[in-house]
Amino acid sequence: MTTYHSTRNSEKTLTASQAILQGIAPDGGLYVPDHIPTLDIALDHLPDMTYQELAYDVMKKFFDDFTEEELKHCVNAAYDDKFDDSSIVPLVKAGGNHYLELFHGPTIAFKDMALSILPYLMTTSAKKNGSTKEIVILTATSGDTGKAALDGFADVPNTRIIVFYPKNGVSAIQEKQMVTQKGDNTSVVAIDGNFDDAQTNVKNMFGNADLAARLDAAGFQFSSANSINIGRLIPQVVYYVYAYGQMVKQGAIAAGEPMNVVVPTGNFGNILAAYFAKQMGLPIQKLIIASNENKVLVDFFDTGAYDRNRDFILTTSPSMDILVSSNLERLLYLMADESTEAVQTFMDQLKEIGRYEVTEAMKEKAKDFSADYATEEEVAAQIAALYHADGYVIDPHTAVAAHVANTYVAETDDHTPIIIASTASPYKFPQAVLTAIDPEFSDDSIEEMLDRLRELSGVAFPAAIEELLHAEVRHNTVVASNDMQKSVESILGLN
């Protein structure tokens, strides 16, 4: 059986369902499997498999304490007609690259791919472990996780969800999606800081023993919907395996040939999922990290030094406006030959002085990765160029990846077929997209921007946008970042 332990201490092991239920380890570490299982599906069979079939086959390798019936129920309940494309994740060729459209779920962003299944994994895990406590999903978001988690957990029995987001650090659409969220068990709180402030305070609450005791006495337990939860991360592995099959099906590669993957990333979860797919045996040659001007990851992979002591920049790709990339901790663990002591040291240094530096031997372990970034001007130019050449409209996060992909090919002459993870619908960022395509565009109302984008793209409003246009604001709380715990205590009636 696959067991899980913290990246900071390997002494206590858990089953998959226990790790999913806890979300984050009590010592602040992230749960990792004791091994990366091997993909046992023949590559030439992948093109013929449905997304649901692949999801079961990949996830059963990691979540092997779930019965076949339990896991298939989770998969089939998650990946159904809430996605507006029967393939779940279409693969579209434009501008010489293949775009893996991960935004066809209910909140039109890639987080739906995992957060559609996490509530089912979570509630199944609770039953399997005899938990009678009410699960409180505590989450910080840089824009997309919040809405996808809220949508997934809304009115799920025996759960509550509290989402914190930076008041001035998300797009207008992202904010409206969150503050209009329905559900008697949902709470949305804006903070006056940035995403890193929100994420740090959420992690501190997870590690607060006094708060944990009070939660326990009141019949609650915390869990997470961020990609720090292994139940969020593993479902993301699936779509890279599926994408490979679709590349074979479309004739872009033959079964067994390599592909490169370019992923816009801030918290490192999405590209870590691609790395896990590669470790399982999927022929991914290069994992290319695409950052915006908050390029802490690019600098880390270039130099081996991770340094968050820098200005935090608000960009048109806000889901990547992150300086502390939580999921990098899982890669550090693998780079350090699974030394939990080394990871603990690095994380202590990050907390105390805001930086750490890995050894040359550890850097060598990360040679499968390449990293680059796009400026705001390059992002806008990429959106415009792809639209004017192919009529294909992409959001700013996807544009970061497209620019980095094209730069990578130009600089390396590596023409291995590329998949770009297209992480959000352009409808989620209409102002940035329209301004890029038409520099004369004026700042209109949300409704006018959406109508204009529909004209340009020729793509009908997703259901999420239709619903949003008529939604009523239900959440309007704003707190100082250092009052986040007080807010949680008030919501749960602990004070």
Side-chain angles (χ1 to χ4, degrees):
M1 178 178 284
T2 303
T3 60
Y4 292 79
H5 62 265
S6 169
T7 47
R8 304 183 191 184
N9 191 319
S10 60
E11 290 181 8
K12 184 178 181 181
T13 60
L14 283 73
T15 63
S17 61
Q18 290 169 337
I20 290 168
L21 201 54
Q22 283 199 18
I24 189 170
D27 59 15
L30 308 189
Y31 286 117
V32 285
D34 60 359
H35 68 285
I36 304 292
T38 301
L39 189 68
D40 59 5
I41 311 165
L43 296 176
D44 58 359
H45 288 176
L46 294 179
D48 301 321
M49 297 181 72
T50 66
Y51 194 87
Q52 294 84 348
E53 290 168 340
L54 262 179
Y56 172 74
D57 277 356
V58 171
M59 282 191 262
K60 74 178 181 183
K61 294 284 196 173
F62 290 93
F63 302 154
D64 56 5
D65 67 326
F66 284 69
T67 66
E68 179 178 352
E69 181 182 12
E70 287 170 339
L71 189 53
K72 283 187 173 177
H73 166 71
C74 293
V75 167
N76 292 328
Y79 304 116
D80 59 9
D81 59 8
K82 68 173 70 71
F83 287 82
D84 65 19
D85 191 288
S86 60
S87 69
I88 309 299
V89 281
L91 186 69
V92 176
K93 187 172 183 181
N97 294 314
H98 288 81
Y99 290 81
L100 186 64
E101 293 188 345
L102 300 169
F103 53 76
H104 288 270
T107 76
I108 57 176
F110 83 100
K111 305 298 175 72
D112 289 326
M113 299 307 302
L115 285 165
S116 289
I117 194 170
L118 184 61
Y120 298 101
L121 294 173
M122 189 84 72
T123 51
T124 302
S125 294
K127 289 176 187 174
K128 290 178 73 64
N129 290 281
S131 175
T132 57
K133 294 187 177 67
E134 190 166 1
I135 301 166
V136 179
I137 306 298
L138 189 63
T139 292
T141 184
S142 55
D144 287 334
T145 287
K147 172 58 181 177
L150 288 161
D151 196 76
F153 280 95
D155 292 325
V156 171
N158 210 37
T159 69
R160 296 196 196 186
I161 178 165
I162 305 170
V163 169
F164 291 95
Y165 75 94
K167 176 61 182 172
N168 297 310
V170 299
S171 79
I173 294 289
Q174 287 175 312
E175 181 172 46
K176 191 169 183 187
Q177 281 188 308
M178 288 187 281
V179 299
T180 58
Q181 177 64 49
K182 297 176 182 176
D184 293 338
N185 64 338
T186 64
S187 298
V188 180
V189 181
I191 68 161
D192 64 0
N194 60 40
F195 170 74
D196 287 332
D197 297 324
Q199 181 169 248
T200 297
N201 283 300
V202 162
K203 285 183 176 179
N204 288 342
M205 281 187 266
F206 272 103
N208 186 321
D210 175 66
L211 181 58
R214 292 166 62 203
L215 286 165
D216 185 67
F220 297 118
Q221 74 174 88
F222 277 153
S223 192
S224 174
N226 286 90
S227 53
I228 55 177
N229 191 320
I230 198 70
R232 247 289 301 276
L233 181 66
I234 298 307
Q236 294 179 250
V237 176
V238 176
Y239 50 73
Y240 292 107
V241 181
Y242 183 76
Y244 186 88
Q246 294 307 296
M247 288 285 277
V248 174
K249 191 171 189 175
Q250 293 184 17
I253 54 176
E257 290 181 347
M259 69 179 186
N260 289 338
V261 173
V262 185
V263 184
T265 191
N267 219 19
F268 205 73
N270 202 356
I271 197 156
L272 183 67
Y275 180 72
F276 273 31
K278 178 179 172 72
Q279 296 303 108
M280 291 184 80
L282 195 70
I284 297 175
Q285 181 169 277
K286 205 73 174 177
L287 297 137
I288 303 166
I289 297 160
S291 294
N292 63 19
E293 290 178 357
N294 293 291
K295 59 185 186 72
V296 64
L297 286 169
V298 177
D299 294 342
F300 171 70
F301 282 92
D302 283 350
T303 68
Y306 192 99
D307 192 343
R308 64 171 172 82
N309 300 307
R310 61 183 71 202
D311 291 337
F312 185 96
I313 302 167
L314 293 175
T315 74
T316 53
S317 48
S319 299
M320 299 158 64
D321 290 347
I322 295 171
L323 295 181
V324 180
S325 301
S326 291
N327 261 292
L328 187 62
E329 183 169 338
R330 286 186 169 111
L331 182 66
L332 277 179
Y333 166 78
L334 298 173
M335 291 167 65
D337 292 325
E338 303 184 1
S339 168
T340 55
E341 294 83 3
V343 173
Q344 183 68 66
T345 298
F346 290 134
M347 293 301 101
D348 287 345
Q349 291 173 349
L350 186 64
K351 185 176 182 179
E352 291 161 11
I353 62 173
R355 75 182 305 276
Y356 60 82
E357 188 165 357
V358 302
T359 65
E360 284 299 320
M362 287 180 67
K363 275 187 70 178
E364 181 64 20
K365 290 284 183 69
K367 63 184 180 183
D368 290 338
F369 291 89
S370 175
D372 201 354
Y373 75 103
T375 65
E376 286 292 271
E377 293 75 19
E378 288 166 339
V379 168
Q382 182 62 59
I383 292 171
L386 193 57
Y387 171 73
H388 291 302
D390 280 24
Y392 188 62
V393 182
I394 55 175
D395 91 291
H397 303 75
T398 306
V400 168
H403 174 81
V404 167
N406 294 336
T407 301
Y408 173 83
V409 173
E411 292 182 351
T412 64
D413 203 30
D414 177 2
H415 292 277
T416 303
I418 284 176
I419 279 182
I420 291 172
S422 186
T423 52
S425 165
Y427 277 115
K428 207 149 192 176
F429 305 92
Q431 184 172 11
V433 172
L434 289 168
T435 303
I437 292 173
D438 179 8
E440 302 300 315
F441 171 76
S442 60
D443 186 1
D444 298 316
S445 68
I446 287 178
E447 290 79 7
E448 288 171 318
M449 285 192 289
L450 292 171
D451 280 336
R452 178 66 176 139
L453 187 54
R454 178 169 55 184
E455 289 173 19
L456 287 174
S457 66
V459 176
F461 283 163
I465 294 297
E466 287 282 9
E467 181 182 348
L468 195 65
L469 290 174
H470 310 289
E472 175 188 352
V473 173
R474 302 181 72 249
H475 308 273
N476 50 24
T477 304
V478 183
V479 303
S481 59
N482 57 5
D483 286 335
M484 285 171 56
Q485 182 171 321
K486 289 180 184 177
S487 180
V488 169
E489 292 168 350
S490 176
I491 289 167
L492 298 180
L494 298 181
N495 50 11

